[in-house]
Amino acid sequence: MKRFVATLIACLVALPALAEIQIEEVTSPGGIKAWLVEDHSIPFTALELRFRGGTSLDDPDKRGAVNLMSGLIEEGAGDLDARTYARELEALAASFRYNAGDDSVSISARFLSENRDEVVDLLRTTIHEPRFDQDAVDRVRAQVLSGLRSDQTDPNEIAGLTFAQMAYGDHPYGSEGKGTIESVSALTRDDVVAAYNGVFAKDRLYVGAVGDITAEELGTLLDTLLGDLPDTGKPIPGKAEVNIPGGVSVVEFDTPQSVALFGQAGIDRDDPDFFAAFVLNHILGGGGFESRLMQEVREKRGLTYGVGTYLVPKDLASVYLGSVSSANDRIAEAIDVIRDEWARAATEGVKQEELDDAKTYLTGAYPLRFDGNGQIASIMVGMQMEGLPIDYIATRNDKVNAVTLEDVNRVAAELLDPDGLHFVVVGKPVGLETTN
């Protein structure tokens, strides 16, 4: 184990230069595609598998099934019960991590070259033969329920769920992917098995690998690990419509400080104006202490410790979100300032100096994202899912630098909708009432 930890540390400190990231597309003999970055400097490989669909695949009356399944899949596999499985994984000095989100279920595996075959055997058993023992179902379900009860007392979680319900309605995005206390309590082992059967299939699989492995070795690994998966999984839901109107929704909650989540319809990742919107967001609210909102809301008026915005281009809908918190008697003023800044950017645009500073930051900070083999493997899978070209890493900064002042200001006028901006406020805000 000490050797594994040392190797991990070596991976974290080994920051590959952007120009050194040479991505190769690999197709296994069985036809499974993957993106690979070979790095033989250390005997270590990071493998990222992602299956499109995620918690959005849940049936409406089985909400939380995919999330519960992803928490259970490592609780024993094949002839290994949960405890034996954990000991086996530790003995191999490997790590597997499963995660379920709105749009995907991911598997992140890290292993040493000397144990590769044994690790692949164990991971294959995990993916193909999960046990879903009833005692494990009950134990993991209790953990999920504990988290859901905790969420009921978290103003940020309440604001997020309230906004999602208003924005997406009956679409899966409009409810909590972890499910509700009622839905998770009612899930059976058969529901977990059904969720498993819907997720893991080759028609939604994306793979990234970084480290001490050749293209030929990766091809063999992929067929061994994934060749027997079903060709197709459960159909993915259709697009969601973002229908939230402008205004304010107040959720009464006993706290000295109100939390506000605000947002409107956003912009899709494949929209030709996405990079202009990306730069605009940095200037308006995504640029930390230098953003307009931080300057106006925090620095000039002292209304908050922090305010920020971010684009959320999901697979099935896109929104533009932000968040702020302030004392109950000052949150109304903070909201007025945010709405005014939204309108000012839409009507007046941004300045050349702001655009130049944003480009300098966004292009300069980009290499810092590639801080290790695991992170690079994850980024490569994200690129594939978003339909980006294999040379995107090398050309991404050119796309940022190509954004002009005219582009940003045109997109600001088209995208920003001060009247359509909706604020969900959780707390006891003074001077604010629900408007619709």
Side-chain angles (χ1 to χ4, degrees):
M1 178 56 74
K2 289 181 179 178
R3 181 178 176 184
F4 182 60
V5 171
T7 303
L8 282 178
I9 292 172
C11 292
L12 290 174
V13 299
L15 300 179
L18 214 52
E20 297 174 354
I21 299 176
Q22 298 294 329
I23 303 175
E24 174 185 2
E25 182 168 284
V26 174
T27 302
S28 75
I32 299 174
K33 292 183 183 280
W35 284 8
L36 166 66
V37 175
E38 285 193 48
D39 177 7
H40 300 285
S41 60
I42 52 174
F44 171 85
T45 299
L47 179 67
E48 185 80 9
L49 311 175
R50 206 166 296 171
F51 296 85
R52 192 188 294 277
T55 62
S56 296
L57 296 176
D58 283 336
D59 291 334
D61 60 341
K62 303 295 181 185
R63 207 69 174 115
V66 168
N67 179 67
L68 182 59
M69 181 274 295
S70 69
L72 276 161
I73 202 160
E74 269 201 280
E75 295 290 324
D79 59 358
L80 306 174
D81 62 20
R83 190 167 298 180
T84 309
Y85 178 92
R87 282 200 296 264
E88 190 85 7
L89 186 63
E90 184 174 354
L92 290 170
S95 72
F96 302 156
R97 183 164 54 85
Y98 287 76
N99 184 60
D102 285 344
D103 293 328
S104 68
V105 171
S106 63
I107 305 172
S108 306
R110 312 284 185 264
F111 50 85
L112 299 173
S113 300
E114 64 190 55
N115 296 331
R116 181 190 302 152
D117 291 344
E118 294 91 337
V119 170
V120 170
D121 285 344
L122 183 60
L123 184 57
R124 188 186 188 290
T125 305
T126 308
I127 295 173
H128 291 270
E129 303 176 52
R131 292 165 61 109
F132 302 132
D133 293 335
Q134 188 60 51
D135 62 335
V137 172
D138 295 339
R139 182 173 60 255
V140 175
R141 186 210 312 272
Q143 295 168 358
V144 174
L145 291 173
S146 176
L148 290 172
R149 292 188 185 96
S150 177
D151 289 348
Q152 291 179 333
T153 63
D154 184 334
N156 290 292
E157 293 289 340
I158 296 170
L161 181 57
T162 303
F163 188 93
Q165 290 170 337
M166 298 184 69
Y168 304 118
D170 293 334
H171 192 275
Y173 285 174
S175 58
E176 173 56 71
K178 291 180 288 187
T180 65
I181 289 175
E182 293 73 21
S183 69
V184 174
S185 298
L187 290 173
T188 66
R189 183 182 182 280
D190 287 345
D191 296 328
V192 172
V193 173
Y196 163 80
N197 289 331
V199 167
F200 296 103
K202 283 188 278 193
D203 68 334
R204 61 205 54 205
L205 170 64
Y206 301 86
V207 183
V210 180
D212 184 29
I213 188 168
T214 66
E216 183 178 2
E217 291 167 339
L218 178 61
T220 300
L221 182 155
L222 293 174
D223 284 348
T224 301
L225 186 63
L226 305 164
D228 293 339
L229 284 176
D231 289 334
T232 59
K234 187 174 181 178
I236 293 172
K239 291 276 188 179
E241 292 187 14
V242 180
N243 289 318
I244 193 165
V248 175
S249 296
V250 175
V251 180
E252 288 285 334
F253 190 80
D254 191 11
T255 174
Q257 178 168 276
S258 292
V259 168
L261 180 70
F262 53 95
Q264 58 155 85
I267 185 168
D268 292 341
R269 184 63 181 80
D270 60 357
D271 191 295
D273 286 328
F274 180 82
F275 274 97
F278 178 61
V279 175
L280 169 67
N281 173 61
H282 182 85
I283 296 168
L284 180 57
F289 282 96
E290 301 305 317
S291 75
R292 284 188 176 187
L293 289 182
M294 190 70 93
Q295 289 296 313
E296 295 296 329
V297 181
R298 172 180 162 140
E299 297 301 313
K300 292 184 180 178
R301 297 171 178 83
L303 297 172
T304 184
Y305 287 111
V307 55
T309 61
Y310 41 98
L311 300 171
V312 186
K314 294 185 181 184
D315 281 0
L316 305 175
S318 299
V319 290
Y320 189 8
L321 295 178
S323 62
V324 66
S325 58
S326 187
N328 285 328
D329 62 350
R330 306 199 72 186
I331 188 71
E333 183 182 357
I335 287 174
D336 285 344
V337 174
I338 292 168
R339 191 178 277 116
D340 288 347
E341 287 302 311
W342 219 260
R344 183 165 76 93
T347 57
E348 300 176 12
V350 306
K351 299 175 181 175
Q352 186 66 51
E353 182 180 358
E354 292 177 305
L355 175 61
D356 293 341
D357 289 346
K359 287 182 180 179
T360 299
Y361 177 84
L362 292 171
T363 55
Y366 188 53
L368 301 179
R369 296 186 186 181
F370 301 87
D371 61 347
N373 290 357
Q375 184 66 9
I376 296 171
S378 178
I379 288 172
M380 288 197 301
V381 171
M383 289 165 56
Q384 293 174 70
M385 292 189 70
E386 292 175 350
L388 299 175
I390 201 165
D391 66 346
Y392 174 78
I393 293 174
T395 61
R396 179 266 195 189
N397 278 355
D398 293 338
K399 299 180 191 310
V400 173
N401 283 324
V403 173
T404 67
L405 189 64
E406 182 182 6
D407 294 331
V408 174
N409 290 338
R410 175 180 53 78
V411 170
E414 295 172 356
L415 176 64
L416 299 177
D417 181 11
D419 294 332
L421 197 58
H422 195 100
F423 291 81
V424 172
V425 185
V426 180
K428 288 184 172 294
V430 176
L432 282 177
E433 294 181 351
T434 296
T435 57
N436 48 40

